[in-house]
Amino acid sequence: MVEERDESYGHVLKYTGIFGGVQGLNILIGLVRNKFVAILLGPGGMGLASLLMSVQNFAAQFTNLGISFGAVPRLSELYDERSDERLLHFIQVVRLWSLIAAALGVLFCVISSSFADTLTFTWGNHTLHYAVLGVSVAMLAITGGETAILKATRRLGPLAKLQIITALLSLFISVPLYYFLFHSGVMPVIVLTALVTMLSTIYYSYRCYPLHLKFNRSLLGEGFGMIRLGLAFVLAAVASSGSEMVIRSFLNVEGGLGDVGLFNVGYLITMTYAGMVFSAMESDYFPRLSAVNQDVEATNKTVNRQMEVSLLLLSPMLAALIMLLPVLIPLLFSDEFLPVIGMAQVAVLAMYFKVMTLPVAYITLARSFSLSFLLLETTYYIVFVVMVVFGYRYYGILGTGLAIVVAHVFDFLMINGYAYWRYQYRGTSKLMLYAFLQTLFGISVYVVSLLLEGWLYWTIEAALVFVSAAYSMSILRQKTHLWESLVKRFLFLRKRA
């Protein structure tokens, strides 16, 4: 039996909260880990760790063949058909291609290790470090395939547990190793974290679907459709990881590992905080949007509702983040990271534009226009890199925060302009009003942070955050309770009549 789609504001708010809650817990664990790492390693050590992690992510996304995304539709279709034999067969296809992706990851890291060392460091020889990253990249490839199996077969409970378990294990692994090994612990932490993530994932996956591997040409051929589907997303992810790697390499060469560490903290705390709301996009919003992707009116309705709820939920959080960063940075990291406060505060403003961009960007994905998606994403990342380079050279670390805002404004104009022309997307007047007022509140909080100090700073900032939160709550209460109760009452009276 096919379930009726729930497109109400209450549904959007409910599932944004559920997925955001899990993400929020992961962020909290990550912040605790970063606090210990910041104390033990300092900005230079965090810069080294983030640099190696960005290279690992780039290699993983470049070689994983998009299996974690491309395998889900076919597996999900077979699961819904209750075709156990065909499902188990295609799981073998996914696992075979995951092993191929793992081998490609190792080969890529070994071959490119010398070039990566030349590109990212001006001191020492780190070729062996980049070669060893191939081990963690291979394990991430296997993890991606097993995660796709769990997603497609609706094992959402184990997936939620896995996120929490791997975050906790990462904390328990990294702190002792950094304490005893200092900077020498960076590589063991990266490899062991990938290992425990893979082992935890295959533990759940193999219990549901035991491992039965075999190799033949027909299995390879059956995976080509899956690989083609994921290719555009792989290339977009490569553009993302590549831009991060280029930026961190540039900052390392121009300013040193200390500036890399500062930028990483500012970028991390801004992007991951907003990710609590954005985490619902792929799991709940994207399937709903895909179901109505050929209906312009329904698409506009779905996009606008998601954007309204996300904007109203996130805006008070962003205003509060700007206000609290002078306390959060030394609390979560250390006093050595105080210079990043100005950069992080201005970078938060970029999230007001991101929340008005991401739901619209999914229209291209819902219509399977993978090439258009790739071109739009690549254009954004090119602008992002150029703006960061320009901002850092003229304004230092603060300039990188300004660059993030400019890049997101550009992305907002590009994505919304393209959707207006190509898909006839139209935002409602109410949405525009919500966006204008909440962005105005955010800018006001930032301006106050520049001009005032002491009790006057905290009083006015708190008042602005309160107004933003009260405005959002009043709108959400109207939409999720009053609106739904009226509809239910109307249906009840109609049924009686």
Side-chain angles (χ1 to χ4, degrees):
M1 180 179 179
V2 179
E3 295 182 1
E4 182 181 354
R5 290 195 305 272
D6 186 353
E7 299 291 345
S8 68
Y9 283 100
H11 172 89
V12 178
L13 181 61
K14 175 184 176 181
Y15 284 94
T16 300
I18 289 174
F19 292 113
V22 174
Q23 181 71 9
L25 182 58
N26 289 334
I27 290 172
L28 181 61
I29 296 172
L31 289 174
V32 173
R33 183 182 66 248
N34 289 335
K35 171 67 175 180
F36 282 106
V37 175
I39 294 173
L40 294 172
L41 300 186
M46 287 200 73
L48 176 63
S50 68
L51 188 60
L52 291 173
M53 283 294 295
S54 66
V55 174
Q56 175 197 250
N57 293 337
F58 175 81
Q61 290 165 348
F62 188 73
T63 60
N64 67 16
L65 305 177
I67 293 172
S68 61
F69 174 84
V72 172
R74 181 59 178 158
L75 286 170
S76 183
E77 179 183 346
L78 294 173
Y79 179 77
D80 288 342
E81 291 175 358
R82 302 295 190 268
S83 179
D84 292 341
E85 184 177 346
R86 295 170 64 196
L87 175 64
L88 291 173
H89 177 76
F90 198 74
I91 285 175
Q92 291 186 34
V93 175
V94 173
R95 286 173 171 166
L96 175 60
W97 275 99
S98 296
L99 288 176
I100 294 172
L104 287 174
V106 174
L107 187 63
F108 176 82
C109 288
V110 171
I111 293 175
S112 64
S113 58
S114 179
F115 173 75
D117 178 46
T118 303
L119 180 67
T120 55
F121 283 95
T122 56
W123 52 272
N125 187 344
H126 301 82
T127 302
L128 181 60
H129 290 161
Y130 288 122
V132 173
L133 281 178
V135 178
S136 62
V137 169
M139 290 187 287
L140 290 176
I142 295 172
T143 302
E146 300 304 322
T147 301
I149 295 170
L150 291 174
K151 284 182 180 178
T153 55
R154 316 296 194 271
R155 301 302 200 274
L156 300 181
L159 281 172
K161 292 177 183 178
L162 280 171
Q163 292 183 27
I164 298 172
I165 289 171
T166 54
L168 286 171
L169 288 175
S170 176
L171 172 65
F172 296 143
I173 288 171
S174 59
V175 173
L177 284 176
Y178 286 141
Y179 178 80
F180 289 108
L181 301 179
F182 197 49
H183 287 185
S184 299
V186 171
M187 280 304 302
V189 166
I190 291 175
V191 174
L192 287 175
T193 299
L195 175 63
V196 297
T197 301
M198 181 189 71
L199 293 177
S200 301
T201 305
I202 64 177
Y203 170 77
Y204 282 105
S205 183
Y206 287 2
R207 286 180 64 188
C208 299
Y209 302 99
L211 178 65
H212 297 291
L213 273 179
K214 63 179 181 179
F215 176 83
N216 57 56
R217 291 185 179 180
S218 64
L219 285 177
L220 285 176
E222 291 178 54
F224 285 142
M226 168 183 70
I227 301 305
R228 283 195 298 269
L229 184 60
L231 183 60
F233 301 93
V234 169
L235 295 176
V238 167
S240 173
S241 297
S243 66
E244 292 184 15
M245 186 175 67
V246 169
I247 287 171
R248 285 167 173 77
S249 298
F250 165 78
L251 293 175
N252 184 35
V253 173
E254 292 286 320
L257 284 175
D259 281 355
V260 178
L262 291 174
F263 174 82
N264 187 62
V265 166
Y267 191 80
L268 177 72
I269 200 169
T270 301
M271 300 300 171
T272 55
Y273 188 74
M276 292 174 60
V277 173
F278 298 147
S279 62
M281 296 286 185
E282 183 178 345
S283 301
D284 175 59
Y285 165 66
F286 181 48
R288 289 189 290 109
L289 182 63
S290 299
V292 298
N293 71 85
Q294 297 301 320
D295 186 331
V296 173
E297 183 178 351
T299 294
N300 287 344
K301 182 179 179 181
T302 302
V303 172
N304 288 330
R305 283 189 172 179
Q306 183 68 40
M307 196 184 301
E308 286 178 21
V309 171
S310 299
L311 176 70
L312 292 170
L313 279 177
L314 186 60
S315 295
M317 297 166 60
L318 295 177
L321 180 61
I322 296 173
M323 175 183 71
L324 294 173
L325 275 172
V327 174
L328 291 176
I329 292 294
L331 178 65
L332 297 175
F333 300 95
S334 69
D335 290 344
E336 293 181 86
F337 292 87
L338 288 175
V340 83
I341 291 175
M343 173 265 186
Q345 284 180 317
V346 70
V348 170
L349 297 178
M351 296 300 99
Y352 287 95
F353 295 94
K354 187 177 181 68
V355 77
M356 294 183 287
T357 302
L358 195 57
V360 183
Y362 271 93
I363 300 176
T364 301
L365 294 176
R367 295 201 176 188
S368 299
F369 294 159
S370 55
L371 181 59
S372 298
F373 169 75
L374 177 60
L375 291 175
L376 290 169
E377 287 291 288
T378 303
T379 302
Y380 161 72
Y381 287 118
I382 290 173
V383 172
F384 178 49
V385 171
V386 171
M387 288 297 100
V388 169
V389 169
F390 178 85
Y392 181 78
R393 283 184 169 171
Y394 283 89
Y395 303 103
I397 287 296
L398 175 62
T400 62
L402 294 170
I404 292 172
V405 177
V406 173
H408 278 80
V409 171
F410 169 82
D411 196 37
F412 165 75
L413 295 174
M414 177 179 65
I415 295 295
N416 281 270
Y418 182 80
Y420 184 94
W421 166 72
R422 184 75 183 271
Y423 312 124
Q424 290 78 53
Y425 166 70
R426 303 292 184 269
T428 65
S429 57
K430 287 185 178 180
L431 173 61
M432 296 300 105
L433 177 62
Y434 303 155
F436 172 77
L437 290 176
Q438 289 290 12
T439 304
L440 184 62
F441 288 141
I443 294 174
S444 299
V445 172
Y446 176 67
V447 171
V448 170
S449 72
L450 296 177
L451 300 178
L452 300 177
E453 295 180 354
W455 67 269
L456 197 57
Y457 167 88
W458 292 107
T459 302
I460 297 178
E461 294 278 61
L464 288 169
V465 172
F466 176 79
V467 172
S468 175
Y471 179 71
S472 287
M473 290 300 297
S474 66
I475 300 299
L476 288 172
R477 186 180 296 113
Q478 293 173 21
K479 292 182 178 297
T480 58
H481 296 292
L482 178 60
W483 183 82
E484 288 185 5
S485 64
L486 289 175
V487 171
K488 290 178 181 178
R489 183 169 180 79
F490 170 77
L491 292 175
F492 175 75
L493 293 175
R494 182 179 178 183
K495 184 176 180 180
R496 289 189 61 183

